[in-house]
Amino acid sequence: MREALYQAGDDLSKSRPIDHFVVFTTPERIDAFAAKMRGFGFQVEDPTSDPDTNTISLQLIRNDSPNHIDQLTYDLKVLAADFGATYDGWASIVVK
């Protein structure tokens, strides 16, 4: 993702809303995970279900810089796993 932003002329040092995605296979721990993420300053969108894959996706949004995304994504992978979920990546708009 960061390489795609760079190729598009993005100024990777600028903070902007970054969307993160976490996927659950059961709904039991979503509320607890969402509350923890709010405590870390994330806006948490309503969960969305995918009946084709029997999964539930949760979108997290927070202002960050893509230059400093590696540690954050690692932490989110670990936290997601602690709640029985899988971190599914991040996305951002191009900022010049």
Side-chain angles (χ1 to χ4, degrees):
M1 181 71 211
R2 189 172 32 219
E3 181 64 25
L5 291 171
Y6 176 77
Q7 293 295 326
D10 190 287
D11 181 347
L12 298 171
S13 68
K14 289 186 177 177
S15 183
R16 83 287 304 275
I18 295 181
D19 301 324
H20 300 270
F21 305 93
V22 179
V23 178
F24 291 80
T25 55
T26 61
E28 287 81 18
R29 301 195 66 198
I30 292 174
D31 289 341
F33 180 80
K36 188 164 194 84
M37 294 301 98
R38 286 185 191 98
F40 290 128
F42 286 94
Q43 173 186 330
V44 180
E45 298 295 307
D46 289 336
T48 57
S49 297
D50 183 343
D52 294 332
T53 61
N54 291 320
T55 58
I56 305 158
S57 295
L58 196 62
Q59 182 179 357
L60 314 170
I61 305 166
R62 189 173 82 175
N63 282 343
D64 285 296
S65 163
N67 270 348
H68 305 287
I69 201 81
D70 292 338
Q71 184 62 50
L72 176 58
T73 58
Y74 174 80
D75 292 343
L76 288 172
K77 286 177 188 178
V78 170
L79 284 165
D82 288 347
F83 283 82
T86 303
Y87 179 74
D88 196 33
W90 61 278
S92 171
I93 58 169
V94 174
V95 175
K96 296 186 178 188

